[in-house]
Each structure stands twice: as structure tokens, then as C-alpha cells.
Coordinates of all heavy atoms in Angstrom, one line a residue:
M8 N 0.8 -1.2 0.0 CA 0.0 0.0 0.1 C 0.9 1.2 0.0 O 1.8 1.4 0.7 CB -0.9 -0.1 1.3 CG -1.6 1.4 1.5 SD -2.7 1.3 2.8 CE -1.6 1.3 4.2
L9 N 0.6 2.2 -0.9 CA 1.3 3.4 -0.9 C 0.7 4.4 0.0 O -0.4 4.5 0.3 CB 1.2 4.0 -2.4 CG 2.1 3.5 -3.4 CD1 1.8 4.1 -4.7 CD2 3.5 3.5 -3.0
R10 N 1.7 5.1 0.7 CA 1.2 6.1 1.7 C 1.6 7.5 1.3 O 2.2 7.6 0.3 CB 1.9 5.8 3.1 CG 1.6 4.5 3.7 CD 2.2 4.4 5.1 NE 2.2 3.0 5.5 CZ 2.8 2.6 6.7 NH1 3.4 3.4 7.3 NH2 2.7 1.4 6.9
A11 N 0.9 8.4 1.9 CA 1.3 9.9 1.5 C 2.7 10.2 1.6 O 3.5 9.7 2.5 CB 0.5 10.8 2.5
I12 N 3.2 11.1 0.8 CA 4.5 11.5 0.7 C 5.0 12.2 1.9 O 6.2 12.1 2.3 CB 4.8 12.5 -0.6 CG1 6.3 12.8 -0.8 CG2 4.0 13.8 -0.2 CD1 6.8 11.9 -1.9
Y13 N 4.2 12.6 2.8 CA 4.7 13.2 4.1 C 5.1 12.3 5.1 O 5.5 12.6 6.2 CB 3.5 14.1 4.7 CG 2.2 13.6 4.9 CD1 2.0 12.7 5.9 CD2 1.2 13.8 4.1 CE1 0.8 12.1 6.2 CE2 -0.1 13.2 4.2 CZ -0.3 12.4 5.3 OH -1.4 11.8 5.5
D14 N 5.1 11.0 4.7 CA 5.7 9.9 5.5 C 7.2 10.0 5.5 O 8.0 9.4 6.4 CB 5.3 8.6 5.2 CG 4.0 8.2 5.8 OD1 3.4 8.9 6.7 OD2 3.5 7.1 5.7
Y15 N 7.8 10.8 4.6 CA 9.3 11.1 4.5 C 9.8 11.7 5.8 O 9.1 12.8 6.1 CB 9.7 11.7 3.3 CG 11.2 12.2 3.3 CD1 12.1 11.2 2.9 CD2 11.5 13.4 3.7 CE1 13.5 11.5 3.0 CE2 12.9 13.8 3.7 CZ 13.9 12.7 3.4 OH 15.2 13.1 3.4
I16 N 10.8 11.3 6.4 CA 11.6 12.1 7.3 C 13.0 11.8 7.1 O 13.4 10.8 6.8 CB 11.0 11.7 8.7 CG1 11.6 12.7 9.7 CG2 11.5 10.2 9.1 CD1 10.9 12.5 11.2
H17 N 13.7 12.8 7.5 CA 15.3 12.7 7.1 C 15.8 11.4 7.9 O 15.6 11.3 9.2 CB 16.1 13.9 7.6 CG 17.3 14.0 7.0 ND1 18.5 13.3 7.4 CD2 17.8 14.5 5.9 CE1 19.5 13.5 6.6 NE2 19.1 14.2 5.6
P18 N 16.5 10.6 7.2 CA 16.9 9.3 7.8 C 18.0 9.3 8.8 O 18.5 8.1 9.3 CB 17.2 8.4 6.6 CG 17.9 9.4 5.7 CD 17.0 10.8 5.8
T19 N 18.6 10.4 9.2 CA 19.8 10.3 10.1 C 19.4 9.8 11.5 O 20.1 9.2 12.3 CB 20.3 11.7 10.2 OG1 19.4 12.8 10.6 CG2 21.1 12.1 9.0
M20 N 18.1 10.1 11.9 CA 17.8 9.7 13.3 C 16.4 8.7 13.2 O 16.2 8.1 14.2 CB 17.6 10.8 14.1 CG 18.8 11.6 14.4 SD 18.6 13.0 15.5 CE 18.1 12.2 17.0
F21 N 15.6 8.9 12.2 CA 14.3 8.2 12.3 C 14.1 7.5 11.0 O 14.7 7.7 10.0 CB 13.2 9.2 12.5 CG 13.3 10.1 13.7 CD1 13.8 11.4 13.5 CD2 13.1 9.7 15.0 CE1 13.9 12.2 14.7 CE2 13.2 10.4 16.0 CZ 13.7 11.7 15.9
I22 N 13.1 6.6 11.1 CA 12.8 5.8 9.9 C 11.2 5.6 10.0 O 10.6 5.8 11.0 CB 13.3 4.4 9.8 CG1 13.2 3.8 8.6 CG2 12.7 3.6 10.9 CD1 13.9 4.5 7.4
T23 N 10.6 5.6 8.8 CA 9.1 5.5 8.8 C 8.7 4.1 8.1 O 9.5 3.6 7.3 CB 8.3 6.5 8.1 OG1 8.7 6.4 6.7 CG2 8.8 8.0 8.6
G24 N 7.5 3.7 8.4 CA 7.0 2.5 7.7 C 7.0 2.6 6.2 O 7.4 1.6 5.5
S25 N 6.7 3.8 5.7 CA 6.8 4.1 4.2 C 8.2 3.8 3.7 O 8.2 3.3 2.6 CB 6.2 5.4 3.9 OG 4.7 5.6 4.2
C26 N 9.2 4.4 4.4 CA 10.5 4.2 3.9 C 10.9 2.7 3.9 O 11.6 2.3 3.0 CB 11.4 5.1 4.8 SG 11.3 6.8 4.4
E27 N 10.5 2.1 5.0 CA 10.8 0.7 5.1 C 10.1 -0.2 4.0 O 10.8 -1.0 3.3 CB 10.4 0.1 6.4 CG 11.3 0.6 7.5 CD 10.9 -0.1 8.9 OE1 9.7 -0.4 9.1 OE2 11.7 -0.3 9.6
D28 N 8.9 0.1 3.6 CA 8.2 -0.4 2.5 C 8.9 -0.3 1.2 O 9.0 -1.2 0.4 CB 6.8 0.1 2.6 CG 5.9 -0.4 3.6 OD1 6.4 -1.3 4.5 OD2 4.9 0.2 3.9
L29 N 9.2 1.1 0.9 CA 9.9 1.3 -0.4 C 11.2 0.7 -0.5 O 11.6 0.1 -1.5 CB 10.0 2.9 -0.5 CG 10.7 3.4 -1.7 CD1 9.9 2.9 -3.0 CD2 10.7 4.9 -1.7
A30 N 12.0 0.7 0.7 CA 13.4 0.1 0.7 C 13.1 -1.5 0.4 O 14.0 -2.0 -0.4 CB 14.1 0.2 2.0
T31 N 12.1 -2.0 0.9 CA 11.9 -3.6 0.6 C 11.6 -3.8 -0.8 O 12.2 -4.6 -1.5 CB 10.7 -4.1 1.5 OG1 11.2 -3.9 2.8 CG2 10.4 -5.5 1.3
R32 N 10.8 -2.8 -1.4 CA 10.4 -3.0 -2.9 C 11.6 -2.8 -3.8 O 11.7 -3.5 -4.7 CB 9.3 -2.0 -3.0 CG 7.9 -2.4 -2.4 CD 6.9 -1.4 -2.6 NE 6.5 -1.1 -4.0 CZ 5.7 0.0 -4.3 NH1 5.2 0.7 -3.3 NH2 5.6 0.2 -5.6
L33 N 12.4 -1.7 -3.3 CA 13.6 -1.5 -4.2 C 14.6 -2.7 -4.1 O 15.1 -3.1 -5.3 CB 14.2 -0.2 -3.6 CG 13.6 1.0 -4.0 CD1 14.4 2.3 -3.3 CD2 13.5 1.3 -5.5
A34 N 14.8 -3.3 -2.9 CA 15.6 -4.4 -2.9 C 15.1 -5.6 -3.7 O 16.0 -6.4 -4.1 CB 15.7 -4.7 -1.3
Q35 N 13.9 -5.7 -3.7 CA 13.3 -6.8 -4.5 C 13.4 -6.6 -6.0 O 13.6 -7.6 -6.7 CB 11.7 -7.0 -4.2 CG 11.6 -7.5 -2.9 CD 10.0 -7.4 -2.4 OE1 9.3 -6.7 -3.0 NE2 9.6 -8.1 -1.3
K36 N 13.5 -5.4 -6.4 CA 13.6 -5.1 -7.8 C 15.1 -5.0 -8.2 O 15.5 -5.0 -9.5 CB 12.8 -3.8 -8.1 CG 11.4 -4.0 -7.9 CD 10.7 -3.0 -9.1 CE 9.3 -3.1 -8.9 NZ 8.6 -4.2 -9.8
A37 N 16.1 -4.9 -7.3 CA 17.6 -4.6 -7.6 C 18.2 -5.7 -6.7 O 18.8 -5.5 -5.7 CB 17.9 -3.3 -7.3
P38 N 18.3 -6.8 -7.3 CA 19.0 -8.0 -6.5 C 20.4 -7.5 -6.3 O 21.0 -7.0 -7.2 CB 19.0 -9.2 -7.4 CG 17.8 -8.9 -8.4 CD 17.6 -7.4 -8.5
G39 N 21.1 -7.9 -5.0 CA 22.4 -7.4 -4.8 C 22.4 -6.0 -4.0 O 23.6 -5.7 -3.5
I40 N 21.4 -5.3 -4.2 CA 21.3 -3.9 -3.5 C 20.3 -4.1 -2.4 O 19.1 -4.2 -2.6 CB 21.0 -2.9 -4.5 CG1 22.1 -2.7 -5.5 CG2 20.8 -1.6 -3.5 CD1 21.7 -1.7 -6.5
D41 N 20.7 -4.2 -1.1 CA 19.9 -4.5 0.0 C 19.9 -3.2 0.9 O 19.3 -3.5 2.1 CB 20.2 -5.7 0.7 CG 21.5 -5.7 1.2 OD1 22.4 -4.7 1.0 OD2 22.0 -6.7 1.8
R42 N 20.3 -2.0 0.6 CA 20.2 -1.1 1.6 C 19.8 0.3 0.8 O 20.1 0.4 -0.4 CB 21.6 -0.6 2.1 CG 22.1 -1.9 3.0 CD 23.4 -1.7 3.5 NE 23.9 -2.9 4.0 CZ 24.8 -3.1 4.9 NH1 25.5 -1.9 5.2 NH2 25.3 -4.0 5.4
S43 N 18.9 1.1 1.3 CA 18.6 2.4 0.7 C 18.8 3.5 1.7 O 18.8 3.2 2.8 CB 17.1 2.3 0.4 OG 16.8 1.3 -0.7
Y44 N 19.0 4.7 1.2 CA 19.1 5.8 1.9 C 18.4 6.9 1.3 O 19.0 7.6 0.3 CB 20.7 6.2 2.0 CG 21.0 7.3 3.0 CD1 20.7 7.1 4.4 CD2 21.7 8.4 2.5 CE1 21.2 8.2 5.4 CE2 22.1 9.4 3.6 CZ 21.8 9.3 4.9 OH 22.1 10.3 5.7
F45 N 17.2 7.2 1.9 CA 16.4 8.2 1.2 C 16.7 9.7 1.6 O 16.8 9.9 2.8 CB 14.9 7.9 1.5 CG 14.5 6.5 1.0 CD1 14.2 5.6 1.9 CD2 14.5 6.3 -0.4 CE1 13.8 4.2 1.4 CE2 14.1 5.1 -0.8 CZ 13.9 4.1 0.1
L46 N 16.8 10.5 0.6 CA 17.1 12.0 1.0 C 16.0 12.8 0.3 O 15.1 12.3 -0.5 CB 18.5 12.3 0.5 CG 19.5 11.4 1.2 CD1 20.9 11.5 0.6 CD2 19.6 11.9 2.7
S47 N 16.1 14.2 0.4 CA 15.0 14.9 0.0 C 15.1 15.5 -1.5 O 14.2 16.1 -1.9 CB 14.9 16.2 1.0 OG 16.1 16.9 0.9
G48 N 16.3 15.3 -2.0 CA 16.4 15.8 -3.5 C 17.7 15.3 -4.1 O 18.5 14.7 -3.4
G49 N 17.9 15.8 -5.3 CA 19.1 15.3 -6.1 C 20.3 15.9 -5.6 O 21.3 15.1 -5.5
S50 N 20.4 17.1 -5.2 CA 21.6 17.7 -4.7 C 22.0 17.1 -3.4 O 23.2 16.8 -3.2 CB 21.4 19.2 -4.5 OG 20.4 19.6 -3.7
E51 N 21.1 16.8 -2.4 CA 21.3 16.1 -1.2 C 21.9 14.7 -1.5 O 22.9 14.3 -0.8 CB 20.2 16.1 -0.2 CG 20.5 15.7 1.0 CD 19.4 15.9 2.1 OE1 18.2 16.2 1.6 OE2 19.5 15.4 3.2
A52 N 21.2 14.1 -2.3 CA 21.7 12.8 -2.7 C 23.1 12.6 -3.3 O 23.9 11.9 -2.9 CB 20.6 12.0 -3.8
N53 N 23.4 13.6 -4.2 CA 24.7 13.6 -4.8 C 25.7 13.9 -3.8 O 26.8 13.3 -3.7 CB 24.8 14.5 -5.9 CG 24.4 14.1 -7.2 OD1 25.0 13.2 -7.8 ND2 23.2 14.5 -7.7
E54 N 25.5 15.0 -2.8 CA 26.4 15.2 -1.8 C 26.6 14.0 -0.9 O 27.8 13.6 -0.6 CB 25.9 16.4 -0.9 CG 26.8 16.8 0.3 CD 26.3 17.9 1.1 OE1 25.4 18.6 0.5 OE2 26.7 18.0 2.2
A55 N 25.5 13.2 -0.6 CA 25.8 12.0 0.3 C 26.4 11.0 -0.4 O 27.3 10.3 0.2 CB 24.4 11.6 0.6
A56 N 26.4 10.8 -1.7 CA 27.1 9.8 -2.6 C 28.6 10.2 -2.6 O 29.3 9.2 -2.4 CB 26.5 9.7 -4.0
I57 N 28.9 11.4 -2.7 CA 30.3 11.8 -2.8 C 31.0 11.7 -1.3 O 32.1 11.1 -1.2 CB 30.4 13.3 -3.2 CG1 29.9 13.4 -4.6 CG2 31.9 13.7 -3.0 CD1 29.9 14.9 -5.1
K58 N 30.2 11.9 -0.2 CA 30.7 11.8 1.0 C 30.9 10.3 1.3 O 31.9 9.9 1.9 CB 29.8 12.3 2.1 CG 29.8 13.8 2.1 CD 28.8 14.2 3.2 CE 28.8 15.8 3.2 NZ 27.8 16.3 4.2
L59 N 29.9 9.5 0.9 CA 30.1 7.9 1.0 C 31.3 7.5 0.4 O 32.1 6.6 0.9 CB 28.8 7.3 0.6 CG 28.9 5.7 0.7 CD1 29.1 5.3 2.2 CD2 27.5 5.1 0.1
A60 N 31.6 7.8 -0.9 CA 32.7 7.4 -1.7 C 34.0 7.8 -1.1 O 34.9 7.0 -1.0 CB 32.6 7.9 -3.2
C61 N 34.1 8.9 -0.4 CA 35.3 9.4 0.2 C 35.5 8.7 1.4 O 36.6 8.2 1.7 CB 35.1 10.9 0.6 SG 35.3 12.1 -0.8
Q62 N 34.4 8.3 2.2 CA 34.6 7.7 3.4 C 35.0 6.1 3.1 O 35.8 5.6 3.9 CB 33.1 7.5 4.3 CG 33.3 6.9 5.5 CD 34.2 7.6 6.5 OE1 34.3 8.9 6.5 NE2 34.9 6.9 7.3
I63 N 34.5 5.6 2.1 CA 35.1 4.3 1.8 C 36.4 4.1 1.5 O 37.2 3.3 1.8 CB 34.2 3.8 0.5 CG1 32.7 3.5 0.9 CG2 34.8 2.5 -0.2 CD1 31.9 3.2 -0.4
Q64 N 37.0 5.3 0.8 CA 38.4 5.3 0.4 C 39.2 5.5 1.8 O 40.2 4.9 2.0 CB 38.7 6.4 -0.5 CG 38.2 6.2 -1.9 CD 38.7 4.9 -2.6 OE1 39.8 4.4 -2.3 NE2 37.8 4.3 -3.2
V65 N 38.7 6.3 2.7 CA 39.3 6.5 4.0 C 39.5 5.1 4.7 O 40.5 4.6 5.2 CB 38.6 7.4 4.9 CG1 39.1 7.4 6.3 CG2 38.9 8.9 4.3
E66 N 38.3 4.4 4.8 CA 38.2 3.1 5.4 C 39.2 2.0 4.7 O 39.7 1.1 5.5 CB 36.8 2.5 5.3 CG 35.9 3.4 6.2 CD 35.9 3.4 7.6 OE1 36.2 2.3 8.0 OE2 35.5 4.5 8.2
R67 N 39.3 2.2 3.5 CA 40.4 1.3 2.8 C 41.7 1.7 2.8 O 42.7 1.1 2.3 CB 40.0 1.2 1.2 CG 38.6 0.5 1.0 CD 38.3 0.5 -0.4 NE 37.1 -0.3 -0.6 CZ 36.4 -0.3 -1.8 NH1 36.9 0.3 -2.9 NH2 35.3 -1.1 -1.9
G68 N 42.1 2.7 3.5 CA 43.4 3.1 3.7 C 44.0 4.1 2.7 O 45.2 4.3 2.6
N69 N 43.0 4.7 1.8 CA 43.4 5.5 0.8 C 42.8 6.9 1.2 O 42.0 7.4 0.4 CB 42.9 5.2 -0.5 CG 43.4 3.9 -0.8 OD1 44.6 3.5 -0.7 ND2 42.5 3.1 -1.3
P70 N 43.2 7.8 2.3 CA 42.5 8.9 2.6 C 42.6 10.1 1.7 O 41.8 11.1 1.8 CB 43.2 9.3 4.1 CG 44.6 8.6 4.0 CD 44.3 7.5 3.2
T71 N 43.6 10.0 0.7 CA 43.7 11.2 -0.1 C 43.1 10.8 -1.5 O 43.2 11.8 -2.3 CB 45.2 11.4 -0.3 OG1 45.8 10.3 -1.0 CG2 45.9 11.9 0.8
R72 N 42.6 9.8 -1.7 CA 41.9 9.5 -2.9 C 40.5 9.9 -3.0 O 39.8 9.9 -2.0 CB 41.8 7.9 -3.0 CG 41.4 7.5 -4.6 CD 41.7 6.1 -4.7 NE 41.2 5.9 -6.0 CZ 40.9 4.6 -6.6 NH1 41.4 3.6 -6.0 NH2 40.5 4.5 -7.8
Ligands
LIG8 C1 21.5 14.1 -10.7 C2 20.7 15.2 -10.2 N1 19.4 15.2 -10.2 C3 18.7 16.3 -9.6 C4 19.3 17.3 -9.0 C5 18.6 18.4 -8.5 O1 18.7 18.5 -7.1 P1 17.4 19.1 -6.2 O2 16.4 17.9 -6.2 O3 18.1 19.4 -4.9 O4 17.0 20.4 -6.9 C6 20.7 17.4 -9.0 C7 21.5 18.5 -8.4 O5 22.6 18.4 -8.0 C8 21.4 16.3 -9.5 O6 22.8 16.2 -9.6

């Protein structure tokens, strides 16, 4: 069941049933991808993706990459 868009809340501290439902549906449609991180727009999503990529390199021992 789809719920209203106002079920979105920033995921840093909280989660909603709608976000859990959507994450489950996305995981079913994209085998191998079992995590979702919902944000409020394209610019925020791109910023989060860049930060995640940088953090992965730090964790791998490549802090300048
Ligand atoms: C791929 C992409 N889609 C959409 C947007 C638009 O972002 P917003 O939803 O914050 O206006 C951006 C902005 O950086 C983007 O890079």
C-alpha cells in the first residue's frame, strides 16, 4: 500500500513505515542491493554519494583518494 509523501523524514535519526516499505520494494527489484538511503532531493543525494565514496576510500586506507 502506498502512503502519503509526508511519511518522509530525514533518515539520520528516524525511519518510517513508508520508507521501510519502499526500501523493501527496491531491494526486491534490484538484486544485490539491499540498503537504501532516502534523501530529500538530487543535490542532497549527490552530496551524500560523494561523502560515502570518500569515506569508503578512508576506510580502505586511501585517505587522499
Ligand atoms: C542528478 C541530479 N538530479 C537532480 C538534481 C537536482 O537537485 P534538487 O532536487 O536538490 O533540486 C541534482 C542536483 O545536483 C542532480 O545532480
Side-chain angles (χ1 to χ4, degrees):
M8 173 177 68
L9 285 177
R10 295 187 197 172
I12 190 98
Y13 54 75
D14 272 357
Y15 171 80
I16 190 166
H17 199 276
T19 50
M20 294 181 66
F21 303 102
I22 192 70
T23 66
S25 295
C26 287
E27 286 183 328
D28 292 347
L29 180 56
T31 299
R32 292 170 59 190
L33 289 172
Q35 290 168 346
K36 295 216 177 262
I40 297 176
D41 60 357
R42 297 174 192 200
S43 296
Y44 188 59
F45 299 114
L46 296 166
S47 64
S50 54
E51 193 179 357
N53 275 295
E54 182 181 339
I57 292 167
K58 286 179 179 176
L59 177 62
C61 289
Q62 186 62 36
I63 288 169
Q64 292 305 324
V65 169
E66 298 291 328
R67 289 179 175 171
N69 303 313
T71 60
R72 188 164 179 190

